[in-house]
Every structure is written in C-alpha cells, then in structure tokens.
Amino acid sequence: MTKKNVLVKESGLEMAINMAVSNSSIFTTAAQKPPSVPGGYITISRKKLLQNLEINGGTRINSWVDSMRASSPTHHKASHSLADDHSSWMLQHPSALDMFEQITKASKGKQIVMFLDYDGTLSPIVEDPDRAFMSDAMRATVRKLARYFPTAIVSGRCRDKVYSFVRLAELYYAGSHGMDIKGPSKGSNYAKSAQSVLCQPASEFLPMIDEVYQILLEKTKSTPGAKVENNKFCLSVHFRCVEEKRWSELAQQVRSVLKEYPKLRLTQGRKVLEIRPTIKWDKGKALEFLLESLGYANCADVFPVYIGDDRTDEDAFKVLRDRGQGFGILVSKIPKETNAAYSLQEPSEVMDFLRRLVEWKRLSLRRQFRMLRRAVLDDGLLTKLDKAEPIITVQDAEMTCA
Ligand SMILES: O=P(O)(O)OC[C@H]1O[C@H](O[C@H]2O[C@H](CO)[C@@H](O)[C@H](O)[C@H]2O)[C@H](O)[C@@H](O)[C@@H]1O
C-alpha cells in the first residue's frame, strides 16, 4: 500500500474481530476506496491504524476498547478535530429540516416509503434498554405518517419488543436487525396475526443464539453493569452502565465466547456489542426486501427515506445511495462517518420532520382534490363524478379533511 492515509469504513472493533476470524489483511479493497459520494469518511494515518491493530492478543483488546470509547458521545465531544469539523460535516450532511423543500421537490411524482429505526431515532437513548419508551406525541405522529405513506420500523431489537414500545399494528416491523420481518396486522391484532410474518432468514440460528445468550449471561455476571439482551435472532451486550476501566474485561469475555462460534459475528452500536449470524442479511437487505414486498422492486417511482442513528443503519443508508433512490437521514449531534445524505440532531427533530412530511402531504392532497373538483364543476360534470376514474381515492379525500 502506497497511500499515506486509509479510509476506515469498519469500526476498529469490527476490524479486530474480522482479523481474529479470517486472519487476513485489514486493508480490504472496500476499506481503501472512498465512495464516490460527498464526504462523511474519517481518515486516520496508516501508522496509527497499524499501531492500534498490532496483531497480538493484548493490543487487539485495546483496539476493541478504543472502538467502544469511540461509540460514546462524551468521547466524541472531547475530540477537538471532530468538534472543529462540525460545520463542514453539516455542509455535507445538512439538516433534513432545513432542506425540507428540496426533499419534497425531489420526491415529486414518486411514492415515499418511510423506514424508521427505533432506539435513538423514535425514542431517546436511556440507560435501561427496557425503559426506552417513545412519547405519545411521537406515536401519534408515526400513526399519521403511516396513513399517508407505507411505514416500517427497522430495529436491532426483538420484533415483539419493539412492537410493545410502538404499539401500532398498521406498520411493517423488521426486528433483529432486519432478520425478522412482519407486515401490518389485520384488525389491529398484532399478536394473533402470525400469518403476516414475511421473512426470517436466520431461523436456523435460533438454538445457537439461545445457547450463546445463556453462556454470555453467565460469563458477564462478574462485570457490574453489563447487560445481555436477547433479541431473538441476535444478542446485545450493553456496556452503557459498565465502568470504563472494565470495558476491556467485558470485551475479553465476549471475545472468548465468540471464539467457539465462528458462525456468529460482532458489530457495534451505541455502547452495545451486537452479536449476530454471519448470514448476508442486515438492515439494508431488509429495506430491499420490504420495497420488493410492497411492489417497488424495479420501480423508478419510489422514494424511500430511511432515518436512523446507529452504525447498523449504515447498511440501509448505503443501499439507498447505491440505488440512487431516496436517501438516508442520520440522527446525530456529532459528525460521524455516514452514507446518509442528511442529518437530524435528535428524536424531537425526527418528530418535527415527520410532522412536516404529514402536513405537506395533507396539503398537497387537498390541493389536488380541489383542482379535480374545480375541473369537474367547470365542465358541468358534477353528476358524473361517481363514474369518473378515481384520481384521488375516497380515503385520500377523507384525509384532506382530517
Ligand atoms: O436498531 P435500533 O432500534 O436502534 O436498536 C439498536 C439497539 O438499541 C437498544 O440499545 C440502545 O438503546 C438503549 C436504550 O436507549 C441504550 O441503553 C443502549 O445503550 C443503546 O445501544 C437495544 O437495547 C439493543 O438491543 C438494540 O440492538
């Protein structure tokens, strides 16, 4: 390699683990090539990277811990170079609220389909994952959104768990990082509509995931604050409440378990280590699957919008970038490497954006309805309205008055 700097697409943690599994070069082709999209990638010197990823057990754990630190907002804030870069990052990933007009203009004549991550997007990040409730105001907003646009929740959580927080039967749900997809439930009965399960590509891993869950519970017992969450087709090991000086111990515990399970891989979220099957399935694949299920597989007239805050959401942002359709919105207060086009700072801004989208759609439907009505009246065709080809459905018309 002759280049002085390399682009780091994966976190140091993922790279360390990939090395442990494959023992191959850390400089993959993908990692060397910047994407042909504006900005968002952080460069670090090759020397530093090599120091960080020294191939011996001890230093490898250090790189895990560095990566765990990097997922902490407080550590990001302390980094002057990132803080200084905030305004240039915002130029590359402007606020979706500031760009609202441009966004709606770009969607003109296309069907918007909404994909929403849960934690950190619809609900604020809290210490206890079992108490990450979304507000009633956010729920009401998402309910309205789903009346106007097909809407899916795409989460790392177990699907039933995320449903228990959202409680809107009319949505699509993709739990376990997209490995458990279910369509809207008829008659608002989520629990009874097992027939609407659409896709579970990792079902053969269920016994293994349960086994590893039990082992991790036992292994991490000695680390105060560590919490293992069973997300059905994947697992989360939380370190938000673990003292930083014990992070390396926790990383070591997880690593020692995973050594025995080469069919499982590790990724990282916000103060959480995510363990999942090595199958080629992620939130990006779930997005593609859902678009296909909705009948938009090879359709140019679709405009998917994906909003998420996490590294795992990057797979979906990338799919949209590669397809050149719609775009991703990263929820973050700090500059992050991302394939999203736009940004929002926090869940309250997500709610503002969704509300504006609902209002914009409502008004544009009303405008279309009035134009149609005027055209009919002008032509003296009012009595023939019932026989006319419906340009706007009765439901659309009702919604303009809602
Ligand atoms: O894909 P998501 O819906 O964003 O789920 C990703 C993980 O979210 C949850 O953990 C995160 O939120 C917790 C509650 O705010 C927080 O305590 C934790 O530190 C965050 O990582 C969830 O608990 C995980 O299972 C999900 O994988």
Side-chain angles (χ1 to χ4, degrees):
M1 162 165 302
T2 49
K3 277 188 186 160
K4 209 172 169 204
N5 291 315
V6 291
L7 278 164
V8 181
K9 274 191 84 181
E10 294 175 292
S11 70
L13 175 65
E14 283 173 59
M15 281 197 281
I17 290 151
N18 289 342
M19 284 168 62
V21 172
S22 65
N23 206 16
S24 62
S25 165
I26 52 174
F27 301 109
T28 62
T29 314
Q32 290 165 27
K33 273 190 189 163
S36 57
V37 296
Y41 276 72
I42 299 164
T43 59
I44 65 169
S45 83
R46 182 172 183 259
K47 197 174 152 206
K48 216 169 165 189
L49 188 66
L50 283 170
Q51 276 166 1
N52 198 31
L53 294 171
E54 200 84 15
I55 308 180
N56 71 57
T59 32
R60 195 181 295 148
I61 282 297
N62 285 345
S63 70
W64 283 45
V65 177
D66 284 349
S67 180
M68 287 159 91
R69 282 199 194 101
S71 75
S72 152
T74 46
H75 286 285
H76 274 297
K77 268 179 207 152
S79 159
H80 292 299
S81 56
L82 284 181
D84 292 346
D85 282 350
H86 188 261
S87 51
S88 73
W89 187 82
M90 283 301 290
L91 284 176
Q92 290 171 321
H93 308 283
S95 162
L97 285 167
D98 293 345
M99 300 299 283
F100 191 78
E101 268 78 42
Q102 288 88 330
I103 289 171
T104 49
K105 216 167 151 191
S107 76
K108 210 169 167 208
K110 297 180 179 168
Q111 172 65 56
I112 293 179
V113 182
M114 295 299 298
F115 297 90
L116 305 169
D117 166 56
Y118 183 74
D119 289 279
T121 298
L122 296 182
S123 70
I125 292 292
V126 292
E127 281 199 350
D128 181 357
D130 292 335
R131 302 193 60 77
F133 304 117
M134 75 195 272
S135 66
D136 288 343
M138 183 66 99
R139 183 172 301 102
T141 304
V142 176
R143 180 182 284 121
K144 281 187 195 155
L145 185 79
R147 290 182 72 188
Y148 290 100
F149 313 106
T151 300
I153 307 290
V154 187
S155 173
R157 285 186 185 261
C158 163
R159 176 168 53 75
D160 288 347
K161 179 79 175 215
V162 79
Y163 178 77
S164 75
F165 286 137
V166 178
R167 285 185 278 119
L168 295 171
E170 59 270 44
L171 309 183
Y172 288 80
Y173 288 87
S176 307
H177 294 293
M179 289 180 282
D180 190 6
I181 304 180
K182 190 169 188 266
S185 310
K186 294 197 181 74
S188 302
N189 194 335
Y190 176 85
K192 282 194 181 156
S193 57
Q195 76 276 12
S196 57
V197 170
L198 303 173
C199 175
Q200 290 184 333
S203 42
E204 68 185 274
F205 286 86
L206 270 182
M208 188 187 285
I209 293 286
D210 281 343
E211 190 177 299
V212 174
Y213 173 61
Q214 294 303 334
I215 299 172
L216 281 172
L217 276 182
E218 196 52 40
K219 269 263 178 203
T220 59
K221 231 166 44 185
S222 58
T223 306
K227 185 178 170 83
V228 189
E229 193 183 359
N230 191 336
N231 288 329
K232 193 166 178 176
F233 296 103
C234 50
L235 302 167
S236 296
V237 180
H238 293 273
F239 56 92
R240 185 168 294 278
C241 298
V242 175
E243 269 187 285
E244 196 170 326
K245 62 175 187 216
R246 305 194 77 145
W247 287 1
S248 80
E249 167 189 320
L250 184 67
Q252 187 69 269
Q253 286 162 350
V254 174
R255 189 171 165 236
S256 70
V257 175
L258 282 193
K259 257 194 336 213
E260 308 301 320
Y261 293 89
K263 287 193 169 168
L264 298 180
R265 68 183 170 117
L266 200 62
T267 58
Q268 198 182 354
R270 297 177 70 171
K271 291 200 175 169
V272 68
L273 303 174
E274 311 266 23
I275 292 140
R276 41 177 161 157
T278 45
I279 58 165
K280 285 189 175 143
W281 197 269
D282 52 36
K283 288 180 172 185
K285 293 268 186 242
L287 180 150
E288 286 180 319
F289 178 89
L290 280 163
L291 283 178
E292 197 167 316
S293 305
L294 286 159
Y296 298 118
N298 300 310
C299 176
D301 297 339
V302 65
F303 197 84
V305 176
Y306 187 107
I307 311 183
D309 71 315
D310 212 327
R311 283 184 192 170
T312 59
D313 298 309
E314 289 298 329
D315 296 317
F317 296 153
K318 185 164 183 314
V319 163
L320 293 182
R321 227 183 233 288
D322 292 349
R323 287 170 74 112
Q325 276 183 325
F327 54 81
I329 302 177
L330 176 70
V331 184
S332 179
K333 285 188 170 164
I334 51 166
K336 278 185 190 169
E337 173 195 355
T338 186
N339 272 298
Y342 300 108
S343 63
L344 289 168
Q345 298 227 352
E346 54 195 353
S348 65
E349 283 202 359
V350 173
M351 189 162 76
D352 288 349
F353 179 78
L354 299 181
R355 280 180 171 166
R356 280 183 72 176
L357 215 49
V358 167
E359 189 55 12
W360 163 79
K361 186 68 182 174
R362 196 179 70 83
L363 291 176
S364 65
L365 283 175
R366 173 178 285 185
R367 238 186 340 266
Q368 284 179 47
F369 186 65
R370 283 196 181 137
M371 274 166 57
L372 176 68
R373 196 165 170 271
R374 198 173 311 123
V376 171
L377 283 172
D378 287 353
D379 286 352
L381 296 173
L382 192 57
T383 52
K384 292 186 184 166
L385 185 60
D386 287 346
K387 288 179 195 154
E389 192 69 28
I391 298 172
I392 296 173
T393 64
V394 174
Q395 194 199 4
D396 286 342
E398 278 169 0
M399 283 195 296
T400 65
C401 311

